[in-house]
Amino acid sequence: MKKYLLAPGPTAISPEVLLSMAQPILHHRAPEFVELLKRVKEDLKWLFQTQNDVLIIASTGTGGMEGSVSNFLSPGDKALFINGGKFGERWGKICKNYGVLTEEIKVEWGCVVNPADVAAALQKDPSIKAVFIQASETSTGVAHPVKEVAEIVRGYEDCLMVVDAISAMGVFDVKTDAWGLDVVVSGSQKALGLPPGLAFVSVSEKGWRQAEKSSNAKFYFDFKKERDAIQKNQTAYTAAVSLIVGLEQSLRMMKEEGLEPIFARRAMMAQALTEGMKAIGLAPFPKESPSVSVTAISAPEGYDGQEIYKNLRVNYGITAAGGQDHLKGKVFRISNMGYLDTFDTITAVAAIEMVLKGMGHPLKLGAGVGVAQEILLKK
Ligand SMILES: *Cc1c(COP(=O)(O)O)cnc(C)c1O
């Protein structure tokens, strides 16, 4: 059975990237690798739309998130986090583990934070030292208004805007410098189409200033050490050399395509998938601001979302994702990230139609596919 990886991470990887990583291992202090890091460093700045160095850490995205708490805050500091899903919740858990006192804005799953609520929270407690948010909340498929929230946070000299862009960077626009994002985290196994194992973190001047005041314990995820290393085109510890070779290839392909065309193509795929689903009577789960990165779809009344997800895998070799926590059984999710194109979107729509038909749903086969094709048609 041919396998299709349509999960919102890890995502499918292109043959070019896979083959690049099959090369013999470079030593991480060899001149050749130092040269490679020098190029990759510049490419990452391009992707992040920043002038600041982007740290490259051997860990999954969560390591980058953890470091974004431990490096900028001290026990007893106050932080605000936006909790509208599993990943927002994670910011809160990390803060608690580091003795950071948290203020939480709870957002109904499928909705986005209202920037006015952030403004009110900061007004009420100006001692808050950081605001933690997701650009794309992968568990619910929404994109928070990062730009608007950043505008508010920018007014507070000692408050950092920390963005988990792990499933956003490289899919839709995240302007690190222009929007004043102080700390931005991404990871390898989502939009970049690489295996899991790399986290990327950009830090603003304001961020580094705050890092000087942080008294938290840290060792492996010491960002200042990584900053000093990357400025010499090095990593502090043994670099994940093969992943970084793959990263160069992935970024090379992204640069060939260009940021705007990438954003447009991903948006078109998400739209084709969403409209294809609507054509067979399935509604998107998000109530507002759906994320381009992952399309979360509500299971139709009387059908179990976990069953749809399972049948996609068992019957057709397609790995998608189900719902988490209280959304288990209620939604299933399809990625628009990684090595995917027009026909992967059509495959997804066709397979969902076939799975539902097999479960007894009265839909008309091809109805969703036709709508998706209309959107994806190249004239
Ligand atoms: C995938 C993901 C993460 C991190 O997951 P890891 O498994 O640690 O790589 C964090 N936030 C978001 C929004 C994600 O999509």
Side-chain angles (χ1 to χ4, degrees), residues 8-10 59-65 86-88 90-91 133-139 164-168 185-190 196-199 294 333 337:
S59 80
T60 68
T62 305
M65 291 173 75
K86 286 306 280 180
F87 294 106
R90 188 169 297 176
W91 278 132
I133 194 170
Q134 268 62 39
S136 174
E137 174 51 79
T138 317
S139 64
D164 165 1
I166 293 172
S167 65
V185 186
S186 190
S188 53
Q189 82 276 26
K190 308 272 168 94
L198 289 178
V294 56
R333 294 171 297 147
M337 299 180 285

mmCIF file of all heavy atoms in Angstrom, residues 8-10 59-65 86-88 90-91 133-139 164-168 185-190 196-199 294 333 337, ligand 1:
data_model
loop_
_atom_site.group_PDB
_atom_site.id
_atom_site.type_symbol
_atom_site.label_atom_id
_atom_site.label_comp_id
_atom_site.label_asym_id
_atom_site.label_seq_id
_atom_site.Cartn_x
_atom_site.Cartn_y
_atom_site.Cartn_z
ATOM 1 N N PRO A 8 -0.287 16.930 10.526
ATOM 2 C CA PRO A 8 0.333 18.244 10.760
ATOM 3 C C PRO A 8 1.628 18.124 11.564
ATOM 4 O O PRO A 8 1.813 18.782 12.572
ATOM 5 C CB PRO A 8 -0.751 19.014 11.524
ATOM 6 C CG PRO A 8 -1.547 17.953 12.212
ATOM 7 C CD PRO A 8 -1.490 16.720 11.357
ATOM 8 N N GLY A 9 2.486 17.265 11.156
ATOM 9 C CA GLY A 9 3.797 17.054 11.744
ATOM 10 C C GLY A 9 3.881 15.751 12.487
ATOM 11 O O GLY A 9 3.005 15.482 13.306
ATOM 12 N N PRO A 10 4.932 14.940 12.165
ATOM 13 C CA PRO A 10 5.881 15.187 11.089
ATOM 14 C C PRO A 10 5.186 15.171 9.722
ATOM 15 O O PRO A 10 4.179 14.476 9.553
ATOM 16 C CB PRO A 10 6.877 14.032 11.184
ATOM 17 C CG PRO A 10 6.571 13.288 12.441
ATOM 18 C CD PRO A 10 5.213 13.683 12.871
ATOM 19 N N SER A 59 16.782 19.685 19.021
ATOM 20 C CA SER A 59 15.683 19.256 19.897
ATOM 21 C C SER A 59 14.413 19.370 19.062
ATOM 22 O O SER A 59 14.445 19.935 17.976
ATOM 23 C CB SER A 59 15.559 20.154 21.134
ATOM 24 O OG SER A 59 14.877 21.353 20.823
ATOM 25 N N THR A 60 13.306 18.891 19.568
ATOM 26 C CA THR A 60 12.061 19.163 18.855
ATOM 27 C C THR A 60 11.626 20.587 19.208
ATOM 28 O O THR A 60 12.279 21.281 19.990
ATOM 29 C CB THR A 60 10.927 18.172 19.213
ATOM 30 O OG1 THR A 60 10.531 18.395 20.559
ATOM 31 C CG2 THR A 60 11.361 16.731 18.986
ATOM 32 N N GLY A 61 10.514 20.999 18.650
ATOM 33 C CA GLY A 61 10.036 22.359 18.864
ATOM 34 C C GLY A 61 9.852 22.703 20.328
ATOM 35 O O GLY A 61 10.120 23.835 20.751
ATOM 36 N N THR A 62 9.427 21.743 21.110
ATOM 37 C CA THR A 62 9.164 21.997 22.529
ATOM 38 C C THR A 62 10.427 22.443 23.262
ATOM 39 O O THR A 62 10.353 23.250 24.195
ATOM 40 C CB THR A 62 8.554 20.748 23.190
ATOM 41 O OG1 THR A 62 7.387 20.379 22.439
ATOM 42 C CG2 THR A 62 8.136 21.008 24.625
ATOM 43 N N GLY A 63 11.587 21.947 22.846
ATOM 44 C CA GLY A 63 12.848 22.404 23.433
ATOM 45 C C GLY A 63 13.037 23.896 23.197
ATOM 46 O O GLY A 63 13.477 24.624 24.096
ATOM 47 N N GLY A 64 12.680 24.341 21.997
ATOM 48 C CA GLY A 64 12.745 25.775 21.694
ATOM 49 C C GLY A 64 11.775 26.559 22.553
ATOM 50 O O GLY A 64 12.072 27.675 23.004
ATOM 51 N N MET A 65 10.600 25.984 22.802
ATOM 52 C CA MET A 65 9.612 26.641 23.672
ATOM 53 C C MET A 65 10.146 26.718 25.100
ATOM 54 O O MET A 65 10.072 27.761 25.749
ATOM 55 C CB MET A 65 8.283 25.861 23.661
ATOM 56 C CG MET A 65 7.515 25.916 22.348
ATOM 57 S SD MET A 65 6.058 24.807 22.351
ATOM 58 C CE MET A 65 4.911 25.715 23.394
ATOM 59 N N LYS A 86 -4.030 22.712 22.796
ATOM 60 C CA LYS A 86 -2.977 21.915 23.430
ATOM 61 C C LYS A 86 -1.641 22.645 23.509
ATOM 62 O O LYS A 86 -0.890 22.481 24.465
ATOM 63 C CB LYS A 86 -2.745 20.610 22.655
ATOM 64 C CG LYS A 86 -3.800 19.556 22.823
ATOM 65 C CD LYS A 86 -4.088 19.205 24.251
ATOM 66 C CE LYS A 86 -3.065 18.257 24.862
ATOM 67 N NZ LYS A 86 -3.451 17.968 26.290
ATOM 68 N N PHE A 87 -1.321 23.416 22.475
ATOM 69 C CA PHE A 87 -0.002 24.048 22.461
ATOM 70 C C PHE A 87 0.020 25.322 23.300
ATOM 71 O O PHE A 87 1.025 25.626 23.936
ATOM 72 C CB PHE A 87 0.485 24.254 21.032
ATOM 73 C CG PHE A 87 0.729 22.933 20.343
ATOM 74 C CD1 PHE A 87 -0.147 22.449 19.375
ATOM 75 C CD2 PHE A 87 1.797 22.142 20.719
ATOM 76 C CE1 PHE A 87 0.057 21.213 18.775
ATOM 77 C CE2 PHE A 87 2.010 20.898 20.133
ATOM 78 C CZ PHE A 87 1.142 20.426 19.157
ATOM 79 N N GLY A 88 -1.085 26.026 23.330
ATOM 80 C CA GLY A 88 -1.186 27.167 24.228
ATOM 81 C C GLY A 88 -1.066 26.708 25.666
ATOM 82 O O GLY A 88 -0.353 27.301 26.492
ATOM 83 N N ARG A 90 0.534 24.245 26.684
ATOM 84 C CA ARG A 90 1.921 23.859 26.945
ATOM 85 C C ARG A 90 2.762 25.035 27.454
ATOM 86 O O ARG A 90 3.611 24.874 28.315
ATOM 87 C CB ARG A 90 2.550 23.244 25.687
ATOM 88 C CG ARG A 90 3.920 22.639 25.926
ATOM 89 C CD ARG A 90 4.402 21.817 24.746
ATOM 90 N NE ARG A 90 3.546 20.669 24.490
ATOM 91 C CZ ARG A 90 3.698 19.813 23.465
ATOM 92 N NH1 ARG A 90 4.684 19.994 22.611
ATOM 93 N NH2 ARG A 90 2.884 18.797 23.298
ATOM 94 N N TRP A 91 2.516 26.233 26.904
ATOM 95 C CA TRP A 91 3.239 27.416 27.414
ATOM 96 C C TRP A 91 3.030 27.544 28.924
ATOM 97 O O TRP A 91 3.962 27.808 29.675
ATOM 98 C CB TRP A 91 2.726 28.697 26.751
ATOM 99 C CG TRP A 91 3.261 29.057 25.409
ATOM 100 C CD1 TRP A 91 2.521 29.438 24.316
ATOM 101 C CD2 TRP A 91 4.637 29.152 24.992
ATOM 102 N NE1 TRP A 91 3.347 29.752 23.262
ATOM 103 C CE2 TRP A 91 4.646 29.586 23.655
ATOM 104 C CE3 TRP A 91 5.862 28.920 25.633
ATOM 105 C CZ2 TRP A 91 5.823 29.788 22.932
ATOM 106 C CZ3 TRP A 91 7.033 29.110 24.921
ATOM 107 C CH2 TRP A 91 7.006 29.539 23.590
ATOM 108 N N ILE A 133 2.237 33.061 22.955
ATOM 109 C CA ILE A 133 1.122 32.820 22.026
ATOM 110 C C ILE A 133 1.553 31.833 20.936
ATOM 111 O O ILE A 133 2.754 31.623 20.727
ATOM 112 C CB ILE A 133 0.672 34.177 21.411
ATOM 113 C CG1 ILE A 133 -0.678 34.070 20.699
ATOM 114 C CG2 ILE A 133 1.736 34.727 20.452
ATOM 115 C CD1 ILE A 133 -1.251 35.432 20.295
ATOM 116 N N GLN A 134 0.585 31.242 20.246
ATOM 117 C CA GLN A 134 0.842 30.425 19.058
ATOM 118 C C GLN A 134 0.461 31.239 17.819
ATOM 119 O O GLN A 134 -0.592 31.897 17.825
ATOM 120 C CB GLN A 134 -0.037 29.157 19.065
ATOM 121 C CG GLN A 134 0.590 27.934 19.694
ATOM 122 C CD GLN A 134 0.929 28.096 21.162
ATOM 123 O OE1 GLN A 134 0.183 28.706 21.928
ATOM 124 N NE2 GLN A 134 2.039 27.541 21.569
ATOM 125 N N ALA A 135 1.281 31.191 16.772
ATOM 126 C CA ALA A 135 0.866 31.800 15.502
ATOM 127 C C ALA A 135 -0.207 30.913 14.878
ATOM 128 O O ALA A 135 -1.206 31.390 14.359
ATOM 129 C CB ALA A 135 2.055 31.962 14.564
ATOM 130 N N SER A 136 0.029 29.613 14.944
ATOM 131 C CA SER A 136 -0.955 28.646 14.469
ATOM 132 C C SER A 136 -1.139 27.613 15.571
ATOM 133 O O SER A 136 -0.186 26.960 15.971
ATOM 134 C CB SER A 136 -0.447 27.977 13.183
ATOM 135 O OG SER A 136 -1.317 26.941 12.793
ATOM 136 N N GLU A 137 -2.348 27.526 16.113
ATOM 137 C CA GLU A 137 -2.642 26.543 17.164
ATOM 138 C C GLU A 137 -3.043 25.242 16.457
ATOM 139 O O GLU A 137 -4.185 25.067 16.024
ATOM 140 C CB GLU A 137 -3.749 27.089 18.083
ATOM 141 C CG GLU A 137 -4.270 26.141 19.139
ATOM 142 C CD GLU A 137 -3.209 25.467 20.017
ATOM 143 O OE1 GLU A 137 -2.690 26.104 20.964
ATOM 144 O OE2 GLU A 137 -2.930 24.284 19.755
ATOM 145 N N THR A 138 -2.058 24.359 16.337
ATOM 146 C CA THR A 138 -2.215 23.152 15.511
ATOM 147 C C THR A 138 -3.331 22.226 16.003
ATOM 148 O O THR A 138 -3.912 21.488 15.214
ATOM 149 C CB THR A 138 -0.873 22.391 15.472
ATOM 150 O OG1 THR A 138 0.182 23.347 15.298
ATOM 151 C CG2 THR A 138 -0.819 21.406 14.324
ATOM 152 N N SER A 139 -3.621 22.254 17.276
ATOM 153 C CA SER A 139 -4.633 21.333 17.799
ATOM 154 C C SER A 139 -6.052 21.717 17.388
ATOM 155 O O SER A 139 -6.931 20.860 17.314
ATOM 156 C CB SER A 139 -4.537 21.250 19.328
ATOM 157 O OG SER A 139 -4.834 22.493 19.918
ATOM 158 N N ASP A 164 5.162 31.041 19.359
ATOM 159 C CA ASP A 164 5.367 29.679 18.870
ATOM 160 C C ASP A 164 4.861 29.658 17.433
ATOM 161 O O ASP A 164 3.657 29.662 17.177
ATOM 162 C CB ASP A 164 4.581 28.699 19.757
ATOM 163 C CG ASP A 164 4.424 27.314 19.142
ATOM 164 O OD1 ASP A 164 4.935 27.079 18.032
ATOM 165 O OD2 ASP A 164 3.767 26.469 19.785
ATOM 166 N N ALA A 165 5.824 29.697 16.497
ATOM 167 C CA ALA A 165 5.468 29.677 15.068
ATOM 168 C C ALA A 165 5.872 28.338 14.467
ATOM 169 O O ALA A 165 6.192 28.246 13.280
ATOM 170 C CB ALA A 165 6.144 30.833 14.346
ATOM 171 N N ILE A 166 5.859 27.303 15.306
ATOM 172 C CA ILE A 166 6.366 25.987 14.883
ATOM 173 C C ILE A 166 5.591 25.460 13.680
ATOM 174 O O ILE A 166 6.170 24.877 12.775
ATOM 175 C CB ILE A 166 6.339 24.997 16.081
ATOM 176 C CG1 ILE A 166 7.365 25.458 17.134
ATOM 177 C CG2 ILE A 166 6.637 23.573 15.628
ATOM 178 C CD1 ILE A 166 7.323 24.714 18.453
ATOM 179 N N SER A 167 4.289 25.683 13.659
ATOM 180 C CA SER A 167 3.516 25.206 12.504
ATOM 181 C C SER A 167 3.082 26.373 11.617
ATOM 182 O O SER A 167 2.165 26.235 10.813
ATOM 183 C CB SER A 167 2.296 24.408 12.975
ATOM 184 O OG SER A 167 1.407 25.250 13.686
ATOM 185 N N ALA A 168 3.743 27.527 11.736
ATOM 186 C CA ALA A 168 3.335 28.694 10.936
ATOM 187 C C ALA A 168 4.451 29.188 10.029
ATOM 188 O O ALA A 168 4.206 29.555 8.875
ATOM 189 C CB ALA A 168 2.885 29.824 11.860
ATOM 190 N N VAL A 185 9.773 30.938 17.710
ATOM 191 C CA VAL A 185 10.243 29.546 17.717
ATOM 192 C C VAL A 185 9.672 28.807 16.518
ATOM 193 O O VAL A 185 8.488 28.953 16.187
ATOM 194 C CB VAL A 185 9.761 28.811 19.000
ATOM 195 C CG1 VAL A 185 10.372 27.421 19.083
ATOM 196 C CG2 VAL A 185 10.078 29.617 20.248
ATOM 197 N N SER A 186 10.511 28.023 15.855
ATOM 198 C CA SER A 186 9.987 27.123 14.825
ATOM 199 C C SER A 186 10.645 25.752 14.984
ATOM 200 O O SER A 186 11.479 25.561 15.868
ATOM 201 C CB SER A 186 10.209 27.699 13.424
ATOM 202 O OG SER A 186 9.500 26.911 12.491
ATOM 203 N N GLY A 187 10.252 24.825 14.142
ATOM 204 C CA GLY A 187 10.779 23.463 14.242
ATOM 205 C C GLY A 187 10.904 22.849 12.861
ATOM 206 O O GLY A 187 10.374 23.371 11.884
ATOM 207 N N SER A 188 11.621 21.732 12.792
ATOM 208 C CA SER A 188 11.961 21.180 11.478
ATOM 209 C C SER A 188 10.856 20.347 10.831
ATOM 210 O O SER A 188 10.752 20.302 9.609
ATOM 211 C CB SER A 188 13.225 20.325 11.604
ATOM 212 O OG SER A 188 13.093 19.365 12.629
ATOM 213 N N GLN A 189 10.017 19.697 11.628
ATOM 214 C CA GLN A 189 9.162 18.646 11.062
ATOM 215 C C GLN A 189 7.770 19.110 10.620
ATOM 216 O O GLN A 189 6.886 18.299 10.425
ATOM 217 C CB GLN A 189 9.033 17.471 12.038
ATOM 218 C CG GLN A 189 8.016 17.610 13.146
ATOM 219 C CD GLN A 189 8.542 18.356 14.348
ATOM 220 O OE1 GLN A 189 9.440 19.154 14.242
ATOM 221 N NE2 GLN A 189 7.958 18.097 15.503
ATOM 222 N N LYS A 190 7.579 20.416 10.497
ATOM 223 C CA LYS A 190 6.267 20.901 10.065
ATOM 224 C C LYS A 190 6.404 21.507 8.667
ATOM 225 O O LYS A 190 6.532 20.792 7.697
ATOM 226 C CB LYS A 190 5.720 21.912 11.067
ATOM 227 C CG LYS A 190 5.730 21.406 12.523
ATOM 228 C CD LYS A 190 4.469 20.638 12.877
ATOM 229 C CE LYS A 190 4.569 19.889 14.187
ATOM 230 N NZ LYS A 190 4.071 20.600 15.341
ATOM 231 N N PRO A 196 11.858 15.337 12.325
ATOM 232 C CA PRO A 196 11.877 16.014 13.629
ATOM 233 C C PRO A 196 13.312 16.080 14.146
ATOM 234 O O PRO A 196 14.134 15.237 13.788
ATOM 235 C CB PRO A 196 11.051 15.089 14.534
ATOM 236 C CG PRO A 196 10.364 14.131 13.631
ATOM 237 C CD PRO A 196 11.133 14.059 12.367
ATOM 238 N N GLY A 197 13.609 17.066 14.982
ATOM 239 C CA GLY A 197 14.924 17.092 15.623
ATOM 240 C C GLY A 197 15.630 18.426 15.630
ATOM 241 O O GLY A 197 16.693 18.544 16.224
ATOM 242 N N LEU A 198 15.060 19.444 14.970
ATOM 243 C CA LEU A 198 15.660 20.780 15.042
ATOM 244 C C LEU A 198 14.627 21.782 15.518
ATOM 245 O O LEU A 198 13.468 21.752 15.091
ATOM 246 C CB LEU A 198 16.165 21.242 13.667
ATOM 247 C CG LEU A 198 17.397 20.570 13.069
ATOM 248 C CD1 LEU A 198 17.688 21.150 11.687
ATOM 249 C CD2 LEU A 198 18.613 20.696 13.976
ATOM 250 N N ALA A 199 15.092 22.683 16.397
ATOM 251 C CA ALA A 199 14.283 23.843 16.771
ATOM 252 C C ALA A 199 15.050 25.091 16.347
ATOM 253 O O ALA A 199 16.290 25.095 16.354
ATOM 254 C CB ALA A 199 14.046 23.860 18.281
ATOM 255 N N VAL A 294 -2.992 23.795 8.884
ATOM 256 C CA VAL A 294 -3.709 22.545 9.104
ATOM 257 C C VAL A 294 -5.207 22.826 9.015
ATOM 258 O O VAL A 294 -5.687 23.834 9.535
ATOM 259 C CB VAL A 294 -3.327 21.915 10.472
ATOM 260 C CG1 VAL A 294 -3.571 22.868 11.618
ATOM 261 C CG2 VAL A 294 -4.069 20.607 10.708
ATOM 262 N N ARG A 333 -7.948 16.124 11.296
ATOM 263 C CA ARG A 333 -7.133 17.224 10.774
ATOM 264 C C ARG A 333 -6.235 16.761 9.629
ATOM 265 O O ARG A 333 -5.665 15.668 9.692
ATOM 266 C CB ARG A 333 -6.276 17.808 11.912
ATOM 267 C CG ARG A 333 -7.113 18.486 13.018
ATOM 268 C CD ARG A 333 -6.261 18.854 14.224
ATOM 269 N NE ARG A 333 -5.696 17.660 14.850
ATOM 270 C CZ ARG A 333 -4.511 17.614 15.450
ATOM 271 N NH1 ARG A 333 -3.764 18.685 15.521
ATOM 272 N NH2 ARG A 333 -4.086 16.481 15.979
ATOM 273 N N MET A 337 1.020 21.281 5.117
ATOM 274 C CA MET A 337 2.461 21.555 5.243
ATOM 275 C C MET A 337 3.279 20.382 4.716
ATOM 276 O O MET A 337 2.793 19.268 4.615
ATOM 277 C CB MET A 337 2.827 21.747 6.724
ATOM 278 C CG MET A 337 2.132 22.898 7.411
ATOM 279 S SD MET A 337 2.632 23.014 9.152
ATOM 280 C CE MET A 337 1.728 21.657 9.887
HETATM 281 C C1 LIG B 1 4.264 20.582 16.663
HETATM 282 C C2 LIG B 1 4.080 21.769 17.485
HETATM 283 C C3 LIG B 1 4.846 22.015 18.637
HETATM 284 C C4 LIG B 1 6.015 21.237 19.124
HETATM 285 O O1 LIG B 1 6.028 19.945 19.028
HETATM 286 P P1 LIG B 1 7.321 19.033 19.117
HETATM 287 O O2 LIG B 1 6.697 17.693 19.125
HETATM 288 O O3 LIG B 1 8.056 19.338 20.342
HETATM 289 O O4 LIG B 1 8.153 19.329 17.896
HETATM 290 C C5 LIG B 1 4.592 23.157 19.346
HETATM 291 N N1 LIG B 1 3.670 24.037 18.959
HETATM 292 C C6 LIG B 1 2.940 23.860 17.849
HETATM 293 C C7 LIG B 1 1.949 24.908 17.462
HETATM 294 C C8 LIG B 1 3.120 22.720 17.075
HETATM 295 O O5 LIG B 1 2.389 22.551 15.962
#
